[in-house]
Amino acid sequence: MEQLTIKTTKNIEFIDITEKIKRIVKQSGTSSGYCIVYVPHTTAAVTVNENADKDVQVDILRKLSELVPLKSDYQHLEGNSAAHIKSSVIGVSKTFLVENGNLILGRWQGIFFCEFDGARERKVLISVH
Amino acid sequence: MEQLTIKTTKNIEFIDITEKIKRIVKQSGTSSGYCIVYVPHTTAAVTVNENADKDVQVDILRKLSELVPLKSDYQHLEGNSAAHIKSSVIGVSKTFLVENGNLILGRWQGIFFCEFDGARERKVLISVH
Amino acid sequence: MEQLTIKTTKNIEFIDITEKIKRIVKQSGTSSGYCIVYVPHTTAAVTVNENADKDVQVDILRKLSELVPLKSDYQHLEGNSAAHIKSSVIGVSKTFLVENGNLILGRWQGIFFCEFDGARERKVLISVH
């Protein structure tokens, strides 16, 4: 199991971790199998989407915050309920395929760590089999 | 493959299954690998979130029901379209990591069975590799 | 790794791929394990839901489009931001269980390729272990 440490710099942002995951898959020596990316937090997530145009990330985060606003009639007193809700909607675990020693991604796909309650230091766990 | 039977008692609720999953992982004897948790229903789901403060669950379920209300102009005649929609948004399958014989979870993470159309008897399938 | 090619015919639709995935699992010869279904696109997804009544699909797609409308104040200039957002909400990767050589699904569960920006030719990748 490998571990990435990520320092987020904003309250809400996507961090592109595609190259780091690709490198971990390469270094694992696994020829054919799969790779699990797991976020051990309850106010963050991991997703796959376009990493060519930054505006895609902007639009995803904006629409999520419109649907699940930071302030609402939440009961949880820490003030980060919106982040918890977004974490469950996007999800903390994603499984990828590995073929010929490489992580398989579609042409436009990148892997993003999703910070919903930063800035903080975060972890991402990666396991290749 | 292991199977949990869960009796839900409300129309919409989270049931904490963390300890049950941890026990199944321990008993599997798997040292290093992964654990798939699968819900074989179309009006339920499985998610990961904070299990320290119960209000987090309250806020997630409330916001989901605000966005996807029980009554709307749905076509499906059984009256549980909201539950089907929530099931696809949260998802019925999650993969976890196993290291040193233990299920890996973040400090605040718990695993919840999500009932969206109860009360009913439900199943959760667990496979450790 | 197996690959399905899907020709979608609408801008937004669900395509039932359950039987195709079942056949791939059978043909793999895997007795007990799991099956990863991966969509290598950023404006599509894969989900599990009821395939008995077509109105369930109608309701899911309609509510998603109500929450994430095609037109909004999106920054991404290609006009398909709604499709990117839906892709991250539903997800591009799902893991299923395999027992006794068969894909495990609940009684009412089917697997759907989710087109959010069609019509197009799409791919679905399937790996059985």
Side-chain angles (χ1 to χ4, degrees), chain B:
Chain B
M1 190 171 76
E2 298 292 321
Q3 185 174 293
L4 294 178
T5 300
I6 295 173
K7 278 183 215 277
T8 62
T9 59
K10 296 179 191 167
N11 183 241
I12 295 174
E13 66 176 322
F14 275 16
I15 310 269
D16 191 336
I17 57 173
T18 315
E19 292 309 315
K20 284 173 178 162
I21 307 287
K22 277 185 182 172
R23 202 175 314 133
I24 287 167
V25 169
K26 272 271 183 216
Q27 286 168 353
S28 75
T30 299
S31 165
S32 174
Y34 56 94
C35 169
I36 300 163
V37 178
Y38 189 82
V39 170
H41 303 287
T42 59
T43 54
V46 56
T47 195
V48 179
N49 222 301
E50 180 181 326
N51 61 359
D53 178 5
K54 269 236 156 201
D55 283 342
V56 171
Q57 303 163 44
V58 171
D59 288 340
I60 298 172
L61 289 173
R62 216 184 254 179
K63 183 55 77 185
L64 278 179
S65 292
E66 223 180 278
L67 293 170
V68 185
L70 281 178
K71 308 272 174 208
S72 187
D73 60 336
Y74 300 123
Q75 288 202 13
H76 181 52
L77 295 176
E78 286 179 40
N80 60 358
S81 281
H84 285 291
I85 298 164
K86 289 168 182 168
S87 174
S88 273
V89 167
I90 302 299
V92 296
S93 172
K94 294 284 177 294
T95 303
F96 298 90
L97 303 180
V98 175
E99 279 286 304
N100 303 317
N102 291 307
L103 183 74
I104 301 290
L105 286 175
R107 185 177 171 188
W108 301 103
Q109 287 186 326
I111 306 174
F112 295 95
F113 174 82
C114 311
E115 175 62 85
F116 294 131
D117 190 33
R120 300 203 201 182
E121 187 173 292
R122 299 288 204 171
K123 302 284 182 201
V124 179
L125 309 177
I126 301 102
S127 185
V128 190
H129 295 263

Side-chain angles (χ1 to χ4, degrees), chain C:
Chain C
M1 191 171 76
E2 297 292 321
Q3 184 174 294
L4 294 179
T5 299
I6 294 172
K7 278 182 215 278
T8 62
T9 60
K10 296 179 192 167
N11 184 239
I12 296 174
E13 66 175 321
F14 275 16
I15 309 270
D16 191 336
I17 55 174
T18 315
E19 292 309 315
K20 285 172 178 162
I21 308 287
K22 278 185 180 171
R23 201 174 316 133
I24 288 168
V25 169
K26 273 272 183 215
Q27 286 168 353
S28 76
T30 299
S31 166
S32 174
Y34 56 94
C35 169
I36 300 163
V37 178
Y38 189 82
V39 170
H41 304 288
T42 58
T43 54
V46 55
T47 195
V48 180
N49 221 301
E50 180 181 325
N51 61 359
D53 179 5
K54 270 235 156 202
D55 282 343
V56 170
Q57 303 164 42
V58 171
D59 287 340
I60 297 172
L61 290 173
R62 216 184 255 180
K63 182 57 77 183
L64 278 179
S65 291
E66 223 180 277
L67 293 170
V68 186
L70 282 178
K71 308 272 173 206
S72 187
D73 60 334
Y74 301 123
Q75 288 202 13
H76 182 53
L77 294 176
E78 287 180 41
N80 61 357
S81 281
H84 285 291
I85 298 165
K86 289 168 182 169
S87 174
S88 273
V89 167
I90 301 299
V92 297
S93 171
K94 294 285 177 292
T95 303
F96 298 90
L97 304 179
V98 175
E99 279 285 304
N100 302 317
N102 291 308
L103 183 74
I104 300 291
L105 287 175
R107 185 177 171 188
W108 302 104
Q109 286 185 327
I111 306 173
F112 296 96
F113 174 82
C114 311
E115 174 62 84
F116 294 132
D117 189 34
R120 297 205 203 183
E121 188 173 293
R122 300 289 205 170
K123 301 284 181 200
V124 179
L125 309 178
I126 301 103
S127 185
V128 191
H129 296 265

Side-chain angles (χ1 to χ4, degrees), chain A residues 104-115:
Chain A
I104 300 290
L105 286 175
R107 185 176 170 189
W108 302 103
Q109 287 185 327
I111 306 174
F112 295 96
F113 174 82
C114 312
E115 174 62 85

Side-chain angles (χ1 to χ4, degrees), chain A residues 64-72 74 81-82 86, chain B residues 63 66:
Chain A
L64 279 179
S65 291
E66 222 180 276
L67 293 170
V68 185
L70 281 178
K71 307 272 173 207
S72 186
Y74 300 123
S81 280
K86 289 169 182 169
Chain B
K63 183 55 77 185
E66 223 180 278

Side-chain angles (χ1 to χ4, degrees), chain A residues 5 62 111:
Chain A
T5 300
R62 216 184 254 180
I111 306 174

